[in-house]
Every structure is written in C-alpha cells, then in structure tokens.
C-alpha cells in the first residue's frame, strides 16, 4: 500500500511540475471527522428571477431542480391570494449540498433599490465557483445579460496553509443584483487538501 501511495504522490507532483492542472474529486470528509451538520443551500434574495437566471443557468450551466410559486392560494373566506414568493433551486454537481437558491419576493409594496456593483463589505457575501473550463466558459458569461464584469481571468497565487502557493485562474463578476461572484479554475491543489 505504501508503494502505491508513494507512486501516486510522485505522479501528482510530476504532473504539477509539468504545468498540468490537477483535478482532485470532491469527496465527503472521513467519517471520523464528520459533524452532524451539512451546509445545504445558499439562497439569494433577488429583484427579478428572470434577470438572475441567465447567469446561473445559461452562463454557468447550473441545472434548475426546483421552480415554484409559494404562498397565497385559497383563503377560508373564499378569496384567492396570489403567491408571495418564487423560489428557484439550481445545482452543479450535487443535489443535496451546495445548491443555490434564487428567491424573489412577489407583490412588494415598493420596488427594491437598484443594485450596487461593488466588492462585498461587512454583511455582504461572495459566491465562489470552481470552473474547470473557465477560459472557454468566460466568453459565454461575459455575454450574458445583466452580468457586470469585475475582473477577467488572470492568475493569482494564494498562500497555502503549509507554505508554498495555491495557483488559481481568478475572475469575478457581479450578477443582476450586485452579488460579487468569483469564478475560478484551480491550477494546483486546493486549500485543505
């Protein structure tokens, strides 16, 4: 077994030295390290789902797994109230964790303020997507309606926890609501591995 592990490590180091990107598969943590909590979903409250969907569904290629109107319906007095929320759920490679929700509150009394396109500050958020085909996909993302480009793809070397660097092809956009989104391609071993 030791020889196999050493051979695999040698091969990975050799491939990395040749500039070949390493793709380590996502996997659950070992049973001994598991906790009774999973981060199930992040939901963005959006101004207009029809403006938000093109980036996530068409540009990034996430799959819609849920699209429903919620709330409202028949009332005890016989009136029918309109739905109060539309919720769309999208997934990348897992349908239980890492799902992205887009929620639009319907029937607001006043229109929400226009989005602001600035880097996230306290109370803000940053979504981070790892994209294997970032160089090819970025042109599609750039052409997507309601997307604002913050930075086109460029290499950044982040410090690794144990020394050295984590090379990343980094880019960033704002979605239709001003959410800051990093679109990255890992060029080396990710943090925590």
């Amino acid at each position: 077994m030791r020889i196999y592990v050493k051979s695999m490590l040698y091969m990975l180091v050799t491939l990395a030295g040749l500039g070949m990107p390493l793709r380590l598969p996502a996997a659950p943590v070992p049973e001994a390290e598991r906790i009774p909590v999973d981060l199930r979903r992040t939901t963005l409250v959006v101004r207009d789902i029809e403006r938000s969907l093109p980036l996530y569904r068409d540009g990034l290629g996430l799959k819609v797994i849920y699209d429903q109107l919620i709330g409202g319906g028949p009332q005890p007095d016989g009136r029918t109230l309109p739905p109060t929320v539309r919720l769309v759920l999208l997934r990348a490679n897992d349908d239980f964790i890492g799902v992205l929700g887009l929620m639009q509150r319907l029937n607001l009394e006043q229109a929400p303020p226009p989005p602001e396109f600035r880097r996230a500050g306290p109370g803000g958020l940053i979504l981070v997507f790892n994209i294997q085909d970032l160089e090819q996909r970025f042109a599609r993302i750039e052409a997507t309606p309601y997307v604002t480009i913050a930075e086109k793809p460029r290499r950044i070397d982040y410090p690794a926890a144990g020394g050295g660097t984590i090379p990343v092809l980094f880019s960033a956009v704002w979605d239709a609501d001003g959410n800051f989104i990093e679109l990255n391609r890992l060029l080396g071993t990710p943090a925590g591995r």
Side-chain angles (χ1 to χ4, degrees), residues 127-177:
L127 290 176
V128 179
F129 290 91
N130 286 338
I131 303 173
Q132 292 178 43
D133 62 348
L134 179 61
E135 295 91 337
Q136 296 79 29
R137 189 174 298 272
F138 195 81
R140 183 177 357 158
I141 292 166
E142 191 172 26
T144 302
Y146 311 110
V147 170
T148 303
I149 304 300
E151 290 194 45
K152 293 186 177 195
R154 65 182 175 92
R155 182 182 166 139
I156 294 180
D157 291 328
Y158 292 100
T165 61
I166 302 169
V168 174
L169 186 62
F170 168 89
S171 62
V173 300
W174 286 281
D175 70 4
D177 290 284

Side-chain angles (χ1 to χ4, degrees), residues 18-142:
L18 294 173
M20 298 183 74
L22 301 178
R23 167 119 166 75
L24 298 175
V29 297
E31 195 64 37
E33 295 179 32
R34 294 186 62 80
I35 63 171
V37 177
D38 285 312
L39 178 57
R40 173 78 172 98
R41 175 178 79 225
T42 298
T43 299
L44 304 175
V45 179
V46 301
R47 290 165 176 77
D48 181 344
I49 282 182
E50 293 305 321
R51 287 184 173 212
S52 299
L53 268 174
L55 170 61
Y56 298 105
R57 181 192 57 211
D58 307 330
L60 291 172
L62 301 181
K63 180 177 175 156
V64 174
I65 58 173
Y66 182 90
D67 186 349
Q68 294 294 316
L69 297 173
I70 301 170
Q75 301 299 301
D77 64 5
R79 294 180 301 138
T80 299
L81 296 179
T84 57
V85 167
R86 180 178 173 195
L87 179 63
V88 174
L89 303 180
L90 303 108
R91 70 154 173 83
N93 293 320
D94 195 303
D95 61 6
F96 183 72
I97 60 169
V99 172
L100 179 67
L102 302 175
M103 183 179 82
Q104 180 182 349
R105 296 193 185 280
L106 307 171
N107 309 323
L108 293 176
E109 292 184 20
Q110 55 183 322
E116 295 181 23
F117 301 100
R118 61 178 182 202
R119 294 191 186 266
L125 63 89
I126 299 172
L127 290 176
V128 179
F129 290 91
N130 286 338
I131 303 173
Q132 292 178 43
D133 62 348
L134 179 61
E135 295 91 337
Q136 296 79 29
R137 189 174 298 272
F138 195 81
R140 183 177 357 158
I141 292 166
E142 191 172 26

